[in-house]
Amino acid sequence: MRRILKRHPIPHHVWQGVTRRVVVLKELDAVQMAHLREMTTWFLDQKSITGAQGLEVTPSMKVAVAAQACLLILNLGVELFDGWVEVILYPGAFRVNHAQMDVIGLVHDEASILTGESWLRGPVILSWDDVERDTYHYQAGHNVVLHEFAHKLDGLNGVTNGMPPLHRGMSRKRWAEALSEAYDALCLQVAAGEAAFINPYAATSPAEFFAVLSEYYFTAPDILKNCCPSVHRQLTLFYRQVSSR
């Protein structure tokens, strides 16, 4: 890590110019920001961040993505982002085709328009329009960088299912109970057409639920604490944050 910090330091004006405006970093103190800078430097040394469809990726754009990604692992360790090497930025939302099998076994290509995608052992793909909006303009429960990199943590067990590898001392039973109860309640609200207590996209699957919960934990912790206190407690343990968040 020391060699990386010396070899590829982030210029002070770039770091300050970006991080002082990043909404989700406002609550970090000076010590945490210094640690985040070290982790961001490591990230930029180990991962390539490239543009698609002619998008020119500037050093400031790279720092904006890397710093927010590293916020998730600030108290966990850089090794949790091992095993893949690339972030791809599209100018805006992008189209993907996925093969889907119907009930009689026929396979169809289905197109989706996405703002982000995280491959289990491959790249993280992001819409820069959405990254820029979430980075510099507060929206409770919305941060595409946190969302997609939370999928990376979830997938460390080899599958994204809302059950990332838990730390020693954490209870799988308590985790499963807390998240399953909240997930089931959200699904019932969405099915009934009621106003959901968090982004209804979280009802898509347990994996999306965990990713959306992570967005709320860092961007709107009070909302999460009020609606799902037991979930908030589990995420505090998982992200190893101080309980006051």
Side-chain angles (χ1 to χ4, degrees):
M1 176 71 84
R2 287 183 178 179
R3 289 198 306 270
I4 292 172
L5 295 176
K6 289 181 178 180
R7 190 168 67 237
H8 299 297
I10 301 171
H12 181 74
H13 72 278
V14 174
W15 177 255
Q16 290 296 326
V18 173
T19 58
R20 72 185 180 199
R21 298 171 52 218
V22 178
V23 176
V24 77
L25 303 181
K26 297 292 187 185
E27 299 301 317
L28 299 187
D29 61 28
V31 173
Q32 291 170 319
M33 286 300 297
H35 184 39
L36 183 67
R37 186 171 182 171
E38 293 179 348
M39 298 185 81
T40 303
T41 303
W42 169 89
F43 187 103
L44 294 175
D45 180 74
Q46 298 292 308
K47 318 294 182 187
S48 67
I49 303 180
T50 57
Q53 297 181 344
L55 179 67
E56 181 180 349
V57 179
T58 67
S60 292
M61 292 164 67
K62 292 181 180 182
V63 168
V65 171
Q68 291 177 95
C70 288
L71 176 63
L72 291 174
I73 60 169
L74 185 63
N75 299 315
L76 304 180
V78 294
E79 64 276 2
L80 270 67
F81 281 165
D82 283 343
W84 56 275
V85 296
E86 188 176 21
V87 179
I88 301 170
L89 299 181
Y90 278 80
F94 51 93
R95 178 188 179 97
V96 297
N97 292 310
H98 293 291
Q100 297 286 345
M101 183 178 293
D102 63 22
V103 292
I104 61 172
L106 294 177
V107 177
H108 305 271
D109 281 335
E110 293 191 359
S112 302
I113 304 298
L114 303 179
T115 60
E117 188 174 34
S118 179
W119 295 15
L120 189 60
R121 294 180 181 83
V124 173
I125 308 171
L126 301 165
S127 156
W128 174 250
D129 279 350
D130 291 87
V131 172
E132 187 174 38
R133 180 202 64 207
D134 295 345
T135 298
Y136 301 120
H137 304 283
Y138 175 74
Q139 293 189 89
H142 287 277
N143 187 295
V144 67
V145 175
L146 297 180
H147 184 103
E148 298 305 332
F149 282 91
H151 281 314
K152 280 293 188 188
L153 300 180
D154 187 11
L156 288 172
N157 276 329
V159 61
T160 51
N161 59 3
M163 175 62 79
L166 302 181
H167 311 305
R168 181 177 298 178
M170 291 187 68
S171 165
R172 287 177 61 88
K173 181 174 182 288
R174 290 196 189 98
W175 176 279
E177 287 176 349
L179 272 70
S180 294
E181 181 180 343
Y183 179 68
D184 290 343
L186 178 66
C187 289
L188 288 173
Q189 285 185 325
V190 172
E194 300 173 359
F197 53 83
I198 60 172
N199 184 350
Y201 181 70
T204 303
S205 69
E208 296 300 342
F209 187 61
F210 171 71
V212 172
L213 289 176
S214 296
E215 291 181 85
Y216 275 86
Y217 185 80
F218 287 97
T219 68
D222 289 343
I223 292 176
L224 185 61
K225 190 182 297 185
N226 289 335
C227 73
C228 309
S230 59
V231 168
H232 184 273
R233 282 195 294 274
Q234 290 303 311
L235 290 183
T236 295
L237 293 172
F238 178 73
Y239 286 113
R240 288 179 170 159
Q241 297 284 329
V242 295
S243 59
S244 60
R245 170 171 273 282

